[in-house]
Amino acid sequence: AQRVTQPEKLLSVFKGAPVELKCNYSYSGSPELFWYVQYSRQRLQLLLRHISRESIKGFTADLNKGETSFHLKKPFAQEEDSAMYYCALLDAGNMLTFGGGTRLMVKP
Amino acid sequence: ETGVTQSPTHLIKTRGQQVTLRCSSQSGHNTVSWYQQALGQGPQFIFQYYREEENGRGNFPPRFSGLQFPNYSSELNVNALELDDSALYLCASSFWTPMNTEAFFGQGTRLTVV
């Protein structure tokens, strides 16, 4: 069975500092990976997906199949980035498996 | 606003009772999934419906069941409620194709079992 691990429950950085939210996965097939974000009092929403290879709100994530990782990065954190971030894997059966989430706090 | 709405927003039930949670998907979406999110954890996949048929199920017992209707609404039913069923229940809908797998989430229903 697939598994998604986010080792940090909480990540606290100062505004302008680089951010890296870690995500590791285990899956026997070819995964499709996502980052979802939940801002305060808002619903869960898609931030980015690895197949798009795009940068959203300054965030990027690269799929590393060798290390089975999909870390989320941003070079300069902003206060409005403070939120819960979830890494998720979509399997061949279209089932989405989420990690436990990382709360990012960006301090002024 | 994504167009996915869930009702009710909050609910308190007694152990052993049955509950029905509802989700109104975005118009045109052919797929709906339900998730259970316990406090401090990520969402856990319960099951998924595609064109009104269940086409995927997570590690949840049969007392968790669902329906999807032609008008894009869906239901999650839980029988014989247990205290551990207390959680936030999320519904997500999508127009699934191999190239379009984004799920749109509702705001959730918080169920408390006492």
Side-chain angles (χ1 to χ4, degrees):
Chain A
Q2 59 264 35
R3 187 178 180 87
V4 177
T5 303
Q6 295 178 248
E8 302 139 330
K9 284 283 189 184
L10 173 65
L11 185 63
S12 182
V13 301
F14 285 102
K15 177 182 172 181
V19 169
E20 183 178 48
L21 288 82
K22 291 183 167 52
C23 171
N24 289 91
Y25 68 90
S26 63
Y27 180 55
S28 57
S30 184
E32 186 173 351
L33 285 150
F34 304 81
W35 278 98
Y36 278 82
V37 61
Q38 187 167 28
Y39 300 103
S40 180
R41 296 188 180 85
Q42 294 187 28
R43 62 190 66 196
L44 202 57
Q45 58 186 285
L46 179 67
L47 179 63
L48 55 80
R49 71 193 88 182
H50 89 271
I51 59 172
S52 300
R53 301 187 66 80
E54 57 193 345
S55 172
I56 305 293
K57 299 184 179 183
F59 284 97
T60 59
D62 290 320
L63 177 60
N64 186 323
K65 291 186 177 181
E67 296 183 358
T68 60
S69 67
F70 187 57
H71 303 328
L72 184 67
K73 299 177 183 179
K74 185 170 183 177
F76 308 104
Q78 303 299 315
E79 289 182 68
E80 56 266 30
D81 296 328
S82 295
M84 279 296 296
Y85 291 80
Y86 294 96
C87 182
L89 181 152
L90 188 72
D91 67 12
N94 208 31
M95 182 173 109
L96 200 57
T97 299
F98 285 86
T102 298
R103 179 170 297 282
L104 174 64
M105 291 179 58
V106 181
K107 297 177 286 189
Chain B
E1 195 64 29
T2 65
V4 181
T5 56
Q6 293 184 240
S7 62
T9 54
H10 295 84
L11 196 56
I12 300 176
K13 287 287 191 178
T14 303
R15 188 172 51 182
Q17 284 188 314
Q18 179 267 342
V19 69
T20 297
L21 309 182
R22 294 182 172 82
C23 172
S24 177
S25 302
Q26 201 159 311
S27 180
H29 281 185
N30 55 15
T31 303
V32 65
S33 304
W34 284 90
Y35 298 82
Q36 181 194 66
Q37 186 173 20
L39 204 59
Q41 298 183 23
Q44 282 196 63
F45 177 80
I46 303 174
F47 46 57
Q48 178 171 276
Y49 281 79
Y50 173 72
R51 295 183 176 177
E52 302 168 50
E53 297 284 334
E54 185 181 299
N55 77 334
R57 189 175 185 92
N59 189 26
F60 281 81
R63 59 189 185 86
F64 286 78
S65 64
L67 286 170
Q68 185 186 25
F69 303 102
N71 66 351
Y72 311 116
S73 66
S74 66
E75 291 180 354
L76 164 65
N77 299 288
V78 187
N79 294 322
L81 282 167
E82 301 176 0
L83 297 179
D84 285 348
D85 296 333
S86 296
L88 181 69
Y89 288 85
L90 297 170
C91 157
S93 77
S94 61
F95 184 79
W96 187 86
T97 70
M99 296 306 295
N100 179 26
T101 52
E102 179 178 357
F104 294 86
F105 283 83
Q107 81 283 10
T109 293
R110 184 160 298 283
L111 172 65
T112 303
V113 183
V114 297

